[in-house]
Amino acid sequence: MRITDIRLLKLAVPLKTPFRTALRTVERMESVIVEVHTDTGHIGRGEAPATAVITGDTLPSIAWAVEGVIGPRLIGGDIEERELLLHRVHTAMVHNTSAKAALDMALYDLYGQHLGVPLWKLLGGFRNTVETDLTISVGTADSMAVDSLRAVEEGYRILKVKVGRDSAGDLDRLRRIREAVPRDIRIRVDANQGWTPKEAVRIIRAMEDQGLEVELVEQPVRADDLEGLRFVTGHVLTDILADEAVFSLRDGVELIQARAADLINIKLMKTGGLYQAELLCGLAQAYGVGCMMGCMLEGGVAATAAAHFAAAKENVRLADLDGPSLGRFNPVLGGARFDGPVIRLPDAPGLGITGVQGLEVWA
C-alpha cells in the first residue's frame, strides 16, 4: 500500500452556541481535512483546526505546511514503513504541530486499514468506550448555571467550566453552577492561563473552603510560567492539570521533574499526532502521572482519532472530547459515535471513517 496523492479540503461546522474562553470566542469549527490516497484505493483521513492563540497555526499555514513541506516527503512511501513515514512527518519542519497531527492520524488510519484492525485496538485496546465532559463557555454566573443544568439534563455527568476572563467573578460563577447541579456532578475548571499564580491560589483555596468540590483546575497560569504553575500546585489541595504548558515530550519531562502539575492534558494538535502522544503518555505513566485526552474544538475526524487513543490507553483516565457535540451537526460518516457523554469506538479498521459530508476543495 503506497501513498500516491495527498489532498486538502475545507470543513466548517457552525456551533450550537458561541464557544468562549479566556483566550478566544469561536462561532464555528473550521478545519483542514487531509486525505492521503494510496495505490490500493484506501484513503487515510486527518483533520487540523486553526487554534492560533494556542498552537500558532492558522488554516492557510496548516495547508501550506501539508502541501508545500511535509506532504511531498510522503509520496511513494509504503504504509508498512510506518515508523519511517512518521519520522518524515515530524522532522520535515519545526513547530506546525497541527499540520503534523493531520498527516500523522491519516497515516495511522491507513496502517489500521492495512492490518484490518481498529485504531483503539492497534494502540492498546484497553477499552472501547470513553466518557467525555461537556464544556460550559464563559458567561454570566446565571447563564453558565443554566447551561450547566441543561448539560446535566442531556445526560452529562462531568462539566468543564471555562473561567479566567474575570477573576473577581469566577468564584461566583462556580458557586452558582454548583448550586444549580446535583452534588454527584463532577466539575472541572479551566482557566486557560487566565490567572496569576497568587490569584489562582486564592481562588482555588476559596473553592476548597466553600466546599464546591472541584475535581481539578486546568492551566491556571500562563503556559510559559512553569515556576508559577509549580507554585499553584504546591499551595492547593485540588489537582492541577497542565495543558498549554505541555506540547512536547521535552515539556513533559521538565514539568514532571519540576513537579509542576498533578496531571497532563494530551492533545493531538499539541503533540503533532498520535506518535508523539504515545511517547508522552508513556512518560507520564512511568512517573505515575495520569493523563487527560483533550481536543482543540475539533471536528469528528480529529475527535475520532483522539477518542481511539483515549480508549486504547490505561493511563488516559479523563477525556475532554466534546468538539463534535458542540456543533450543530457531525458531518463525519462512520468513526466514533458521540452519544452525548459516551463515545463509542467502532470495530471497523483504522479510524472507521467512510466519508465526510460538506467538504470544499482547498483553493
Side-chain angles (χ1 to χ4, degrees):
M1 185 186 290
R2 291 192 176 275
I3 297 171
T4 57
D5 191 20
I6 296 175
R7 301 176 189 175
L8 298 178
L9 304 115
K10 293 187 291 186
L11 180 65
V13 177
L15 298 176
K16 295 174 183 175
T17 59
F19 180 84
R20 297 187 178 91
T21 74
L23 296 175
R24 58 178 179 154
T25 297
V26 181
E27 295 189 353
R28 64 178 186 168
M29 287 185 282
E30 295 181 302
S31 57
V32 175
I33 300 295
V34 175
E35 290 185 348
V36 178
H37 291 249
T38 67
D39 59 358
T40 60
H42 293 83
I43 301 173
R45 294 177 175 85
E47 178 184 14
T51 51
V53 295
I54 300 173
T55 65
D57 300 323
T58 65
L59 294 180
S61 73
I62 292 167
W64 171 245
V66 172
E67 188 173 45
V69 183
I70 310 173
R73 299 187 65 179
L74 303 178
I75 300 297
D78 189 332
I79 290 301
E80 289 188 343
E81 299 171 338
R82 182 183 62 164
E83 188 85 6
L84 173 61
L85 294 176
L86 291 168
H87 177 74
R88 289 175 180 173
V89 168
H90 290 283
T91 59
M93 59 196 310
V94 299
H95 310 306
N96 291 276
T97 52
S98 298
K100 292 176 181 177
L103 284 166
D104 173 288
M105 66 182 75
L107 292 175
Y108 271 91
D109 185 15
L110 285 171
Y111 192 63
Q113 292 179 48
H114 176 65
L115 297 178
V117 178
L119 202 53
W120 66 270
K121 287 184 179 178
L122 185 65
L123 294 173
F126 190 74
R127 59 180 81 83
N128 64 358
T129 62
V130 176
E131 182 178 10
T132 181
D133 57 28
L134 186 71
T135 299
I136 306 300
S137 291
V138 174
T140 66
D142 287 341
S143 68
M144 292 177 73
V146 170
D147 290 344
S148 298
L149 191 56
R150 183 182 301 116
V152 171
E153 291 170 349
E154 292 173 357
Y156 289 90
R157 301 188 303 165
I158 314 168
L159 307 178
K160 182 176 179 178
V161 180
K162 295 289 189 178
V163 294
R165 278 189 175 180
D166 166 28
S167 62
D170 285 338
L171 193 59
D172 185 48
R173 293 181 176 92
L174 293 167
R175 189 164 43 238
R176 287 283 294 109
I177 290 171
R178 176 46 80 196
E179 291 170 352
V181 302
R183 295 301 290 193
D184 63 343
I185 298 301
R186 293 153 61 187
I187 294 177
R188 299 168 181 168
V189 173
D190 186 2
N192 284 115
Q193 311 177 58
W195 298 331
T196 67
K198 288 185 177 180
E199 275 182 328
V201 170
R202 175 179 59 80
I203 294 169
I204 296 169
R205 282 183 172 177
M207 292 189 307
E208 293 168 349
D209 291 343
Q210 294 178 28
L212 300 186
E213 299 180 18
V214 168
E215 181 181 25
L216 60 84
V217 174
E218 182 174 351
Q219 199 62 48
V221 301
R222 283 197 339 262
D224 61 358
D225 188 2
L226 187 64
E227 185 57 36
L229 189 62
R230 181 169 173 249
F231 174 81
V232 176
T233 301
H235 286 82
V236 300
L237 298 176
T238 304
D239 281 349
I240 302 300
L241 171 69
D243 180 10
E244 291 94 339
V246 181
F247 272 60
S248 67
L249 193 63
R250 178 174 294 180
D251 292 338
V253 170
E254 292 177 352
L255 179 131
I256 290 171
Q257 289 181 341
R259 298 186 178 181
D262 301 293
L263 302 159
I264 291 174
N265 192 351
I266 298 174
K267 294 179 179 176
L268 299 182
M269 298 306 137
K270 293 189 303 176
T271 62
L274 296 156
Y275 181 69
Q276 294 290 332
E278 283 203 88
L279 297 178
L280 181 56
C281 185
L283 170 74
Q285 187 167 15
Y287 281 90
V289 176
C291 295
M292 170 187 278
M293 193 67 200
C295 63
M296 298 280 200
L297 194 57
E298 297 159 17
V301 176
T304 287
H308 273 282
F309 186 89
K313 302 298 183 181
E314 184 276 334
N315 198 45
V316 177
R317 316 283 173 78
L318 312 166
D320 172 36
L321 300 174
D322 61 349
S325 299
L326 299 175
R328 293 185 184 175
F329 55 87
N330 183 3
V332 175
L333 304 176
R337 193 166 79 243
F338 295 84
D339 294 331
V342 180
I343 305 173
R344 305 181 191 281
L345 281 306
D347 276 327
L351 292 176
I353 294 172
T354 58
V356 183
Q357 298 174 322
L359 292 174
E360 297 180 16
V361 176
W362 185 269

